Amino acid sequence: MVSARTRIRRSLAAVALCGSLAACSAGAVGAPRTTESPGAAQKAETPAKVTVVSPAAGRTVTVTATGGTLRTVRVVDAEGGVLVGRTGAGGTSWVSDRKAVPGTSYRVEATTRTAGGKETTSSSTFRTVPAARVNKLTLAPGKNTTVGVGQPLSIVFDRPVTNRAEVEKQLKVTTSNGTVGSWGWLKDWSGKDRVDWRPKEYWKPGTRVDLDATLDGTDSGGGWFVRDYRTGFTVGGVAQVVKVDLDRKRLVLERDGRAVRTIPVSGGTPGGDKRSWRGTAVLMAKEGTINMNSETVGLGDAYDKMVDFSMRLTWSGMYAHAAPWNAAYFGRANKSSGCIGMSDADAAWFYAQVRPGDPFEITGAETKGTVAEGNGYGAWNVSWEQWRAKSAAAR
């Protein structure tokens, strides 16, 4: 038989045990407490790791983040030029829009952020290997010049260009009126590689033309470009065309389709090397008074004299100019050594009227052939379809 005192002790023990179980159950469900400050976990978090893939020249720069995302990336060369780029989906990689340039030092600054919100900025540098060969170019017409309606945009390269499609896609032409045109690759008279941009038809008067050649860091195949090029020109306010009829021995200057003046001329002598070229030749330059020597164009010792009002039409030596020694033949017979000659008075007037870029449309039965694309600016002597086929981007 249990005494009253014993029953009281057992009841107290049961209460104590029940309280202990209740305490264990509450600890398993509730969140553990911490005595750390709110920013302690962020401070302890490992920063994101940044990796810069140092590119060879001609490659884009790539920056990646592991354990976080890229907030900002800035790539700057030694001269302060910024290599702009963009972050990919997910924010863990960044790629430059432009390629790295040979022999150039770059500094990369990247700010990353972890999932916990920790931001870190890191910096590093790299340098690309210098180019073994550098390619340069010459642009025509000159910057901010005013030209005639037949003037193409022309680029002659110092070294060969075998990566033509790669180079061509860096050449951006913009016009003030959306002119349709195309690049065409050819050999310059000098033997160098050349690419011209001509419109489908003659320029509309007043057109503004600009070229942005973002070639810095591009491999031409014959050498690296280590700078960009920019130029621009304006087409004159009238459509001026010179029509030369060698059969009728006359030259007509037209403006906006109307004849302004007809000039009697004498062209190249038929039947040999002294014949003139036919087709469309674009006025390359107004050279004034120059020495003309037949030996420089493969005609022996036929002439060596100072010639006034000289206007160059081809690299091979065809000009329009004053030729008073041929006065008896103007309008009557072709007796020159290949050039288009006229009187001093007519030449002085004509010289003052024309500008580089004016097309000379030359016809005649007794000529030695059509002006080639690279012999001056002969691009107008091929059809639009043939010209477009000369574009590397169209292949």
Side-chain angles (χ1 to χ4, degrees), residues 65-96:
T66 305
T69 56
L70 293 164
R71 303 288 286 175
T72 61
V73 176
R74 181 176 171 83
V75 181
V76 185
D77 63 29
E79 297 180 355
V82 178
L83 207 58
V84 178
R86 62 195 67 199
T87 305
T92 59
S93 66
W94 178 96
V95 180
S96 63

Side-chain angles (χ1 to χ4, degrees), residues 131-151:
R133 293 174 297 181
V134 173
N135 206 344
K136 299 179 181 179
L137 55 82
T138 302
L139 291 164
K143 189 174 184 179
N144 294 327
T145 53
T146 300
V147 299
V149 296
Q151 176 69 55

Side-chain angles (χ1 to χ4, degrees), residues 50-57 59-65 70 73 75 83 92-96 98-100 106 108 124-128:
V50 174
T51 302
V52 179
V53 180
S54 302
R59 303 282 185 179
T60 54
V61 179
T62 301
V63 181
T64 60
L70 293 164
V73 176
V75 181
L83 207 58
T92 59
S93 66
W94 178 96
V95 180
S96 63
R98 297 286 304 274
K99 300 168 184 176
Y106 292 92
V108 181
S124 62
T125 60
F126 67 89
R127 180 176 177 81
T128 55

Side-chain angles (χ1 to χ4, degrees), residues 89 129 170 184 200 219 227 239 245 277 313 317 328 346 363 368 371:
V129 177
Q170 308 301 327
K200 184 177 181 179
D219 181 10
R227 56 162 291 191
D245 186 338
W277 293 103
L313 298 176
D346 284 337
T363 60
K368 59 184 174 183
V371 177

Side-chain angles (χ1 to χ4, degrees), residues 1 38 42 62 92 95 131 166 181 222 235 243 246 260 265 285 325 346 368:
M1 183 174 181
Q42 180 176 326
T62 301
T92 59
V95 180
E166 182 67 17
V235 181
K243 295 191 175 182
L246 294 177
V260 176
V265 299
W325 55 87
D346 284 337
K368 59 184 174 183

Side-chain angles (χ1 to χ4, degrees), residues 4-263:
R5 180 176 294 180
T6 300
R7 287 196 299 269
I8 292 172
R9 287 176 179 171
R10 287 177 178 175
S11 297
L12 290 174
V15 171
L17 178 59
C18 185
S20 176
L21 288 173
C24 289
S25 176
V29 174
R33 295 182 179 182
T34 177
T35 58
E36 293 179 331
S37 63
Q42 180 176 326
K43 291 179 181 178
E45 189 175 16
T46 303
K49 180 182 178 181
V50 174
T51 302
V52 179
V53 180
S54 302
R59 303 282 185 179
T60 54
V61 179
T62 301
V63 181
T64 60
T66 305
T69 56
L70 293 164
R71 303 288 286 175
T72 61
V73 176
R74 181 176 171 83
V75 181
V76 185
D77 63 29
E79 297 180 355
V82 178
L83 207 58
V84 178
R86 62 195 67 199
T87 305
T92 59
S93 66
W94 178 96
V95 180
S96 63
D97 293 338
R98 297 286 304 274
K99 300 168 184 176
V101 181
T104 303
S105 296
Y106 292 92
R107 183 176 184 83
V108 181
E109 292 186 354
T111 299
T112 59
R113 185 174 186 177
T114 63
K118 183 178 181 64
E119 289 195 359
T120 308
T121 299
S122 61
S123 63
S124 62
T125 60
F126 67 89
R127 180 176 177 81
T128 55
V129 177
R133 293 174 297 181
V134 173
N135 206 344
K136 299 179 181 179
L137 55 82
T138 302
L139 291 164
K143 189 174 184 179
N144 294 327
T145 53
T146 300
V147 299
V149 296
Q151 176 69 55
L153 175 58
S154 185
I155 304 175
V156 179
F157 300 91
D158 283 1
R159 302 188 64 85
V161 179
T162 57
N163 296 336
R164 291 183 172 183
E166 182 67 17
V167 170
E168 188 176 324
K169 74 179 184 180
Q170 308 301 327
L171 308 176
K172 183 180 180 182
V173 177
T174 56
T175 68
S176 58
N177 52 20
T179 302
V180 175
S182 174
W183 290 105
W185 290 87
L186 56 141
K187 281 291 181 184
D188 186 63
W189 187 256
S190 65
K192 294 181 177 181
D193 284 344
R194 174 175 142 192
V195 64
D196 287 4
W197 198 95
R198 56 151 274 203
K200 184 177 181 179
E201 300 172 343
Y202 289 154
W203 296 104
K204 181 179 179 180
T207 302
R208 173 67 190 183
V209 185
D210 290 287
L211 169 69
D212 189 3
T214 54
L215 291 168
D216 200 1
T218 300
D219 181 10
S220 71
W224 291 88
F225 296 105
V226 294
R227 56 162 291 191
D228 293 335
Y229 296 82
R230 291 177 178 82
T231 191
F233 60 91
T234 302
V235 181
V238 295
Q240 187 159 264
V241 178
V242 181
K243 295 191 175 182
V244 181
D245 186 338
L246 294 177
D247 291 336
R248 301 176 71 178
K249 292 83 177 176
R250 72 178 192 181
L251 174 157
V252 180
L253 176 63
E254 293 185 354
R255 288 192 186 130
D256 294 330
R258 297 182 179 181
V260 176
R261 184 165 173 172
T262 299
I263 297 174

Side-chain angles (χ1 to χ4, degrees), residues 290-296 299-307 325 337:
I290 62 172
N291 175 257
M292 291 191 180
N293 188 320
S294 57
E295 293 181 351
T296 64
L299 294 177
D301 60 355
Y303 58 86
D304 184 1
K305 61 183 67 179
M306 300 303 292
V307 180
W325 55 87
S337 296

